[in-house]
């Protein structure tokens, strides 16, 4: 039986993948997530998703009979990738950039096995309301933004700032379900309790 491994310890990605009804295990694939000089946001996200999957495959020890799923989600505005806030000041800068504007959330997914690679990249547009200093400060002190790309969680308290989403909500959370199901179908996994094929 072919094994599926999720190269992530993100609780959100685990929950999303579990909804597809496929059995999987997880591992942590630690890679350098620095943006390379001159690297475009789409290329960055696509590269990280693939790197995570390939690192997971190398760690698995099951290269002959498994597929590894890697994913990366980044918030992008003005061609700038917003990572996890390094401090409250960094977070406030991010929120001022996002306040009252539309930004993009790019999510790359890569499904790899020995000699095979399937991948996709999903772009979702998210619009924020105009934020006051008090709202930004209160959100920071909720502790939710600390480990979130772009400084917010759309599946949490950060959703109160979102006025519009165009595209895949699950991609913003961390794993685009439609596209992931399609790649898993191409890899001949049985999932979704009869909702296949994709």
């Amino acid at each position: 039986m072919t094994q599926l491994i999720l190269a992530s310890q993100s609780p959100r990605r685990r929950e999303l993948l579990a909804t597809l009804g496929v059995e999987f295990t997880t591992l942590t694939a630690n890679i350098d997530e620095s943006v390379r000089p001159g690297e475009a946001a789409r290329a960055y996200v696509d590269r990280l998703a693939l790197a995570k999957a390939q690192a997971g495959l190398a760690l698995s020890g099951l290269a002959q009979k498994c597929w590894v799923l890697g994913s990366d989600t980044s918030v992008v505005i003005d061609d700038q990738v917003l990572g996890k806030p390094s401090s409250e000041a960094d977070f406030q800068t991010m929120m001022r950039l996002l306040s009252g504007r539309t930004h993009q959330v790019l999510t790359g997914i890569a499904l790899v096995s020995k000699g095979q690679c399937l991948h996709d990249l999903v772009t979702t547009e998210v619009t924020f309301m105009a934020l006051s200093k008090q709202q930004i400060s209160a959100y920071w002190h909720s502790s939710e933004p600390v480990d979130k790309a772009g400084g917010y969680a759309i599946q949490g308290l950060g959703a109160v700032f979102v006025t519009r989403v165009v595209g895949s909500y699950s991609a913003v959370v961390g794993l685009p379900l439609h596209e992931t199901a399609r790649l898993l179908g191409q890899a001949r996994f049985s999932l979704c309790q009869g909702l296949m094929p994709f």
Side-chain angles (χ1 to χ4, degrees):
M1 180 177 174
T2 303
Q3 184 176 355
L4 176 64
I5 299 172
L6 175 64
S8 173
Q9 290 299 323
S10 163
R12 294 162 294 283
R13 287 197 178 107
R14 289 201 305 267
E15 290 168 6
L16 286 166
L17 186 57
T19 66
L20 295 179
V22 62
E23 292 186 8
F24 65 94
T25 58
T26 63
L27 55 74
T28 301
N30 294 315
I31 63 166
D32 180 4
E33 298 190 14
S34 303
V35 181
R36 293 173 178 170
E39 187 173 33
R42 291 179 65 85
Y44 166 74
V45 171
D46 201 40
R47 175 176 64 82
L48 284 196
L50 181 58
K52 290 176 182 178
Q54 290 174 332
L57 188 64
L59 288 170
S60 70
L62 302 169
Q64 296 292 339
K65 54 182 178 180
C66 77
W67 287 84
V68 180
L69 177 64
S71 181
D72 184 74
T73 301
S74 292
V75 172
V76 180
I77 191 164
D78 298 334
D79 296 320
Q80 178 182 353
V81 175
L82 303 184
K84 298 174 183 178
S86 58
S87 64
E88 183 175 1
D90 187 31
F91 165 76
Q92 289 175 348
T93 299
M94 289 182 185
M95 290 299 104
R96 286 194 294 269
L97 279 172
L98 299 178
S99 176
R101 300 179 61 194
T102 298
H103 61 273
Q104 291 73 46
V105 178
L106 305 181
T107 300
I109 52 172
L111 186 64
V112 302
S113 66
K114 187 176 181 181
Q116 297 184 75
C117 175
L118 306 170
H119 63 97
D120 204 349
L121 192 146
V122 178
T123 302
T124 305
E125 293 191 343
V126 179
T127 303
F128 265 28
M129 63 182 278
L131 304 176
S132 68
K133 290 181 180 179
Q134 291 79 10
Q135 287 169 322
I136 292 172
S137 177
Y139 187 43
W140 173 257
H141 287 98
S142 75
S143 298
E144 184 175 270
V146 175
D147 63 344
K148 306 297 188 300
Y152 76 94
I154 198 169
Q155 75 279 8
L157 187 58
V160 302
F161 298 152
V162 176
T163 62
R164 190 174 187 220
V165 176
V166 179
S168 171
Y169 171 82
S170 63
V172 181
V173 178
L175 193 69
L177 288 179
H178 172 77
E179 290 78 8
T180 300
R182 182 171 52 78
L183 294 191
L184 289 171
Q186 290 175 20
R188 301 188 181 280
F189 282 94
S190 177
L191 57 145
C192 295
Q193 302 177 13
L195 295 181
M196 296 297 287
F198 273 75

